[in-house]
Amino acid sequence: MNVAVAKTGGGRAVSDLFASAEGRLPGAPAVTAVRREAFETYERLGLPHRRIEEWKYTDLRALVGKVLPLAAAPDAAALKRAADAVKAHAIAGARKLVLVDGVFAPDLSDVAALGSEVDLKTLSEVLNNEANPVAADLLRTITTDAVISLNAAMATDGVLLSIGEGVEVSAPIQIVHVATAGGASTYTRSHVKVGNRARATIIESFVGTGQAGAYQVNDAVLVTVGDDADVAHIRLMDDAPDAVNITSQFVTVGANTKVNFFNMTSGAAVSRLQGFITLAGEGSELSINGVNLLQKTEHGDTTLVVDHAVPNCVSREIFRAVIDDRAHSVFQGRIIVRPDAQKTDGKMMTRALLLSDEAEADNKPELEIFADDVSCGHGATAGALDDTLLFYLKARGLPEKQAQALLIQAFVGEAIEQIADDGLREHVIGMAERWLERRS
């Protein structure tokens, strides 16, 4: 009996895209073999759909339908538009590393400012180095997730950052992803390695230029943090209103280390951040905080898996969603406590604020505990603005929208306040205020 794999229309489109793009994707022959293997995995699985439990609330077959053609390498006009976007979204004092339509742009980046504190390479240059026997490993991830496999097959560029032992990076590093090509897709993959006793702040920003519309972003970030380190990772997603942004993060944390992660989603028609964090060293502390600001018909999904693999670690997750009009927010959080991970302390709390009768929030916190000496808990709430507080503010002369804005700022404040850097925290508050202004 002959068995044939039936492809959806989206599958055929991606197959054609891979065949046409394969010649321009960076990589020596060994890398190309890994790409083909990854694409075969994607082709077998297709776009995720609601029958896959992890994608139950974010059915990409229904929400996206098909994958767009690969964006062309940016020309001079695209780089000029990107420069304007970078200027508008640059964070004061940060050293910028810019990716335009999936390609590293050295002329827009502060490469020299990194000095000896950070070793920088680009994904494309390493993949093209035939003498590097482990270059293909940069595209390997231990997962059968279709979106991540597609990223491995199609990644055009990214940044590889290495921070040595004992180095305290003196300024934040901002990786800016700029989309200038409408109707196209970009694939980037970055690696960050933080040595023992190092300290660093990494910021990722996703933006689009005025001419870019209906583009798709598929990004992957792999972070390894050593022992006795201190790392802050801030992700700010402010893509075009009709864009799609799917980001996958893999983080491995060493012993006696502090990691503070924050994400804000305030753009894109469809977005999903999926993070897989493993606490692999004892005595570490993980803080994960996030805010979804959604309106119109936007769909924002945050899916996190925190794996306590060793004893004596602490994790805290605080997530807030503000949902207006017919927008849809998803939070899926899972804490796994392995059999040997005694003395684990894990807490997770997600709250959703619904500003209209048609707004929707799906909160799914989970605990998988295989140890007996632990302290773990989770909670989830969803509701509207407090009418009593709203009346109190309006009775003192505030217009309704302004009164709502004050209550919304207080609602998301608990998550934003976890950002330790004062300048970064003010920048994030400013983003939230601009979203509130657009809403009014």
Side-chain angles (χ1 to χ4, degrees), residues 421-434:
D421 185 279
D422 293 339
L424 279 177
R425 188 168 59 251
E426 290 302 317
H427 182 88
V428 173
I429 291 173
M431 288 183 63
E433 291 174 344
R434 288 191 293 275

Side-chain angles (χ1 to χ4, degrees), residues 99-129:
L99 293 158
V100 181
D101 296 333
V103 178
F104 183 68
D107 292 342
L108 303 182
S109 303
D110 301 324
V111 177
L114 295 177
S116 60
E117 294 180 345
V118 181
D119 179 62
L120 168 68
K121 292 183 175 64
T122 64
L123 180 71
S124 58
E125 70 175 293
V126 176
L127 294 181
N128 282 326
N129 183 3

